[in-house]
Amino acid sequence: SPRLVAGHLLGRRAAERLPAAVTAGLRSMMGDVVRYGTAAGARLPAGTHGKTGSAEYDSAGHTDAWFIGYRGDLAFAAFVEHGGEGGKVAAPIAARFLVVARS
């Protein structure tokens, strides 16, 4: 289930800002991931920015799938244990979440 994290639990580092050029580059790249990259097939709503990933957890190459991102002022993460590829598994879950969160 989606959960909000209270700001005081994030610590001081959460308040530190990245340089503007770094932020602009990250936003651009995260937008490209959704429009043209590994999350392009997930049918994420317009204005979504994100990053897909797959985390190997054993020597046999099994992976957990993840997708993190933001849309407007909402940040989110989707994680699927033993899910495989983030763009194919976790990003579509995030797309469904964003449709519900918008209503």
Side-chain angles (χ1 to χ4, degrees):
S1 297
R3 289 181 286 184
L4 295 178
V5 177
H8 72 277
L9 296 175
L10 298 175
R12 277 189 35 198
R13 296 201 53 95
E16 295 177 17
R17 295 192 180 268
L18 294 171
V22 173
T23 302
L26 285 170
R27 289 181 185 197
S28 175
M29 288 183 280
M30 290 174 79
D32 287 348
V33 166
V34 172
R35 286 188 300 276
Y36 316 113
T38 52
R43 305 185 77 198
L44 289 147
T48 303
H49 294 71
K51 175 67 179 98
T52 64
S54 304
E56 291 184 19
Y57 60 84
D58 66 15
S59 60
H62 297 105
T63 57
D64 296 328
W66 57 268
F67 180 72
I68 56 103
Y70 69 93
R71 183 168 186 262
D73 65 351
L74 176 67
F76 59 86
F79 175 83
V80 181
E81 188 175 17
H82 313 296
E85 296 179 38
K88 292 181 180 177
V89 178
I93 291 170
R96 289 194 302 271
F97 165 74
L98 290 170
V99 168
V100 172
R102 201 170 57 183
S103 14

